[in-house]
Amino acid sequence: MAAQNARLPLQAVAAAIEAGLPASAAAMYQGWPAPPPAEALLAALLLDRRADLPGLLAAADAAGMAAALAQLGLARAAGGPDLVAALAAAAAEPAAEGPRVHFASLVLVAGRHRLAEALLRPAWQGAASSALVARALSGTWMLLGREAEALEAARIAAEAAPQQPEPMEHLAGLLLRAGQPGPALLAAGRAIGAAPDSHQGWRLASTGLLDLGQTAEAIAAANRAARLSTLHAPHAEQIRTAHAAEVPAAPGRAAADGVTRLAPRQPAGWAQVPPDLAAPTAAPLGQGLAARARIIDALLLRETRTMFSASRLGYAWALVEPLSHVLLLSAVFFFLGHDSQPPIGDAMLTFYMTGVLSFLFFAHMTERAMDLPAANRALLLVPAVGLFDVLAAKAVLSAVTDLVVAGITFGFLIATGVGRIPEDPAGMVGAYLMLFLFAFGIACVNMVASSYTSAWEKLWPSFLRLQYFTCGVFYHPLDMPEDIRRLILLNPLVHVTEWMRQSYFHGYESPFLDIPYLFQWTIGALLAGTALFAATARQMRRPA
């Protein structure tokens, strides 16, 4: 009798937790006189009393933990040895997600759903939760009938692990339960994109297509699922049979009473389950890279059609813009009485152009990246398209456009006798390549910043206007006072301008060009941009 009474506190703590009374459960735990170490260990883990766990774990033994689990009906349902080891591991590392989720999963299988939720709750961090915790809690909440919370946790798990098919499959299943076949089909498509041999993904896609009324596509997806796993053969047969029942009988076949009726027709050969049920082999790396290149190429064509669609001048504006800058600068300095003799070269037009073109190259690439997440929400719903693909296509198109404009501009200057063939064309190519990498890193930073605050879309253009007057477009650093020159040379774009002019003008060797300094800025921008992009890609891709 005494032994039976000793077991009551642990059962009472568990009952209070399952009744949604954590304060009562905590009070029972605190008022528990001389508890057996193993029972107190299990109660402390359920209540997340991490400070008590090390001492209790040291005092508990395997037999005591098995007896404590048996009190809650866990050992009989899930097997004593596995649960004892999982309990010990979760208590030994209460901050580690893996052991906690493993133990909670065993408790969930044993049918104690609310106890499993109590074990997982301390690791839940909302949208910042890991895929492991979010997926486990989603399944727990689904079993508890809290479908809205389960669906939200499933979305978080899928976004946290976009390359893993199982969270996507789970999300697709919940969306189908919620009566949302369209989003469910997209989630199933993402699962298939992550793992083409995901038989469950094809099975869910088949159901989504069927709910959307696309019967032929549903049959094809069901056949693919059956080809990957015989578990889905009944589902495929059921869909084919239902489809065949909808097909009218051949004309001229009438019953004895003269009334023509619809009769089932055997499925056609294309709708039969193929005899070969072997899963396809994974695509090699070369094919994956080729597929990525095809996606970026398609995005390039799309961006080419839309980049200047808002302007009546279209692509002509790409030529008009740098010329307008140069003409405006020339007019301003003419009316101010500025000396018409340039610091380098024979014409102010070529001096200005060598600075304007490189500045616009940088400005265009960094500005056009800011609205990419918001402007491509619908496109990002396509499973195969990633945000990096969109950014790469935009950056490449911007760079190619500005390089073509630079080539046409310098060609025009040479043809009219105002300019000359560059002294070091390879040097100009090197300057543009370094500028592209530097601008791409800054573009990544801008994309992340603008997705978190709309104010950045106003701050960055203002910063570019300041850069216009500090990167050496219409002056030479030698013309500035020494104190100001030191500050100006801290700007990496000044070194780009000097590199361009050293490569273009004959006989000019810049005393200020520091290519290693520019390289350091480029590497820093790329590391910062790609790190920010990797850390926030999931949030940027999430619908607003």
Side-chain angles (χ1 to χ4, degrees), residues 354-422:
T354 50
V356 166
L357 290 173
S358 58
F359 171 78
L360 291 180
F361 184 100
F362 174 81
H364 290 160
M365 188 181 298
T366 54
E367 273 190 304
R368 288 167 182 165
M370 288 196 293
D371 62 343
L372 287 185
N376 294 275
R377 294 293 186 200
L379 182 63
L380 293 174
L381 292 175
V382 179
V385 178
L387 191 55
F388 189 84
D389 300 327
V390 180
L391 175 62
K394 194 82 168 180
V396 169
L397 180 60
S398 178
V400 170
T401 301
D402 283 347
L403 285 175
V404 170
V405 168
I408 294 174
T409 303
F410 283 122
F412 175 77
L413 293 177
I414 294 169
T416 56
V418 177
R420 297 183 181 180
I421 296 175

Side-chain angles (χ1 to χ4, degrees), residues 9 28-36:
M28 293 177 191
Y29 174 78
Q30 291 174 348
W32 195 349

Side-chain angles (χ1 to χ4, degrees), residues 164-387:
Q164 297 180 17
E166 199 282 332
M168 294 293 179
E169 294 166 0
H170 175 67
L171 174 60
L174 289 182
L175 288 167
L176 286 172
R177 286 170 58 94
Q180 302 179 39
L185 185 58
L186 288 173
R190 292 178 66 183
I192 294 168
D197 59 348
S198 169
H199 59 85
Q200 188 65 23
W202 286 104
R203 165 69 171 80
L204 292 164
S206 172
T207 304
L209 289 165
L210 194 62
D211 289 347
L212 292 171
Q214 301 178 28
T215 311
E217 291 83 356
I219 290 177
N223 285 344
R224 182 65 181 271
R227 185 161 52 243
L228 294 169
S229 173
T230 54
L231 294 173
H232 304 296
H235 169 73
E237 182 64 29
Q238 180 182 7
I239 292 183
R240 287 195 307 273
T241 303
H243 178 61
E246 297 171 2
V247 179
R253 295 184 59 185
D257 56 4
V259 178
T260 301
R261 292 185 174 88
L262 297 180
R265 188 174 65 183
Q266 290 299 320
W270 65 268
Q272 299 288 346
V273 179
D276 181 14
L277 300 177
T281 58
L285 177 62
Q287 291 184 12
L289 294 176
R292 203 91 256 141
R294 287 195 298 270
I295 291 172
I296 294 176
D297 181 59
L299 292 173
L300 274 171
L301 293 176
R302 174 181 177 271
E303 291 294 334
T304 301
R305 297 187 184 97
T306 60
M307 178 178 286
F308 295 102
S309 60
S311 171
R312 291 186 178 181
L313 290 174
Y315 262 83
W317 174 248
L319 286 170
V320 171
E321 186 181 14
L323 292 175
S324 66
H325 280 259
V326 172
L327 293 175
L328 179 61
L329 285 173
S330 301
V332 168
F333 286 119
F334 175 79
F335 286 110
L336 291 177
H338 191 279
D339 189 1
S340 60
Q341 181 63 32
I344 308 170
D346 301 325
M348 290 296 295
L349 190 62
T350 56
F351 179 78
Y352 291 152
M353 195 63 75
T354 50
V356 166
L357 290 173
S358 58
F359 171 78
L360 291 180
F361 184 100
F362 174 81
H364 290 160
M365 188 181 298
T366 54
E367 273 190 304
R368 288 167 182 165
M370 288 196 293
D371 62 343
L372 287 185
N376 294 275
R377 294 293 186 200
L379 182 63
L380 293 174
L381 292 175
V382 179
V385 178
L387 191 55

Side-chain angles (χ1 to χ4, degrees), residues 514-535:
D514 190 347
I515 295 179
Y517 176 75
L518 178 60
F519 181 75
Q520 292 171 4
W521 267 95
T522 301
I523 295 299
L526 285 172
L527 290 176
T530 53
L532 282 173
F533 179 88

Side-chain angles (χ1 to χ4, degrees), residues 16-17 19-27 47 49:
I17 291 173
L21 302 171
S24 299
L47 294 169
R49 298 298 184 97

Side-chain angles (χ1 to χ4, degrees), residues 380-530:
L380 293 174
L381 292 175
V382 179
V385 178
L387 191 55
F388 189 84
D389 300 327
V390 180
L391 175 62
K394 194 82 168 180
V396 169
L397 180 60
S398 178
V400 170
T401 301
D402 283 347
L403 285 175
V404 170
V405 168
I408 294 174
T409 303
F410 283 122
F412 175 77
L413 293 177
I414 294 169
T416 56
V418 177
R420 297 183 181 180
I421 296 175
E423 180 181 10
D424 183 13
M428 295 186 74
V429 172
Y432 268 117
L433 179 60
M434 186 80 75
L435 182 58
F436 173 81
L437 296 175
F438 177 57
F440 187 81
I442 300 299
C444 289
V445 174
N446 282 353
M447 183 172 63
V448 173
S450 63
S451 66
Y452 280 89
T453 171
S454 59
W456 191 255
E457 297 182 8
K458 299 180 178 63
L459 291 174
W460 183 252
S462 301
F463 177 74
L464 285 178
R465 283 191 288 272
L466 176 64
Q467 285 290 313
Y468 191 75
F469 294 99
T470 59
C471 67
V473 169
F474 55 88
Y475 63 86
H476 190 270
L478 197 61
D479 297 334
M480 308 301 292
E482 185 175 354
D483 293 340
I484 297 178
R485 187 191 310 142
R486 288 200 196 98
L487 294 175
I488 289 173
L489 291 176
L490 294 176
N491 186 346
L493 293 180
V494 173
H495 297 272
V496 174
T497 305
E498 285 296 290
W499 195 354
M500 287 285 294
R501 286 171 175 162
Q502 177 176 285
S503 302
Y504 180 80
F505 291 107
H506 292 253
Y508 174 64
E509 185 173 353
S510 173
F512 308 110
L513 174 59
D514 190 347
I515 295 179
Y517 176 75
L518 178 60
F519 181 75
Q520 292 171 4
W521 267 95
T522 301
I523 295 299
L526 285 172
L527 290 176
T530 53

